[in-house]
Amino acid sequence: QVQLAESGGGLVQAGGSLRLSCAASGRTFSFKNYNIGWFRQAPGKEREFVAAIMGDGGNTYYGDSVEGRFTISRDNAMSTVYLQMNGLKPEDTAVYYCGALSSFFNNVKYLRTARPYNYWGQGTQVTVSS
């Protein structure tokens, strides 16, 4: 069993920055064996892919709407993944979730879709004012 906990959300003005964290824990859990994805969900909308990083941190992927503004990274020693968000826009307002996907599923098509993920955190609210 894996537990994920997001933090770092808040209220920020357009153009500002936030850094989200996703901390993982579990009794028999090996963090490096999981790819981690960030998704977001705004009211009335489907969960949207934001970014993902492979278990070894070697490859990263981004959604079109955040490419060039957001950066995903991980510290396997700390079992934590970060999402640095710069140049925030009002349309970035959403609840942000991190998910863990077994590294067995390394094809990017799995990383970009919410359904294959095995574990999810409770989410953290990000609100960007105009």
Side-chain angles (χ1 to χ4, degrees):
Q1 190 73 12
V2 176
Q3 291 82 44
L4 301 175
E6 302 94 338
S7 61
L11 174 64
V12 64
Q13 289 187 333
S17 298
L18 284 174
R19 188 175 83 154
L20 305 185
S21 297
C22 172
S25 61
R27 283 188 61 187
T28 58
F29 168 64
S30 180
F31 187 63
K32 64 180 175 63
N33 289 339
Y34 286 86
N35 306 320
I36 302 295
W38 282 99
F39 289 75
R40 65 188 182 187
Q41 191 164 17
K45 295 188 177 181
E46 293 187 354
R47 195 163 290 194
E48 176 191 13
F49 172 72
V50 175
I53 187 166
M54 306 296 274
D56 62 1
N59 289 329
T60 58
Y61 305 93
Y62 296 92
D64 292 342
S65 61
V66 307
E67 181 86 52
R69 298 187 297 124
F70 292 10
T71 302
I72 189 170
S73 62
R74 66 190 293 159
D75 183 342
N76 283 350
M78 297 296 292
S79 297
T80 301
V81 169
Y82 305 98
L83 184 68
Q84 178 66 43
M85 305 187 297
N86 299 328
L88 283 162
K89 305 174 181 179
E91 50 264 43
D92 293 319
T93 295
V95 178
Y96 283 70
Y97 300 90
C98 63
L101 174 66
S102 168
S103 61
F104 178 80
F105 297 96
N106 277 342
N107 191 298
V108 65
K109 68 179 181 181
Y110 296 118
L111 275 75
R112 289 181 171 271
T113 307
R115 187 171 181 176
Y117 282 74
N118 306 103
Y119 305 100
W120 291 96
Q122 293 300 307
T124 185
Q125 176 71 46
V126 171
T127 303
V128 184
S129 63
S130 58

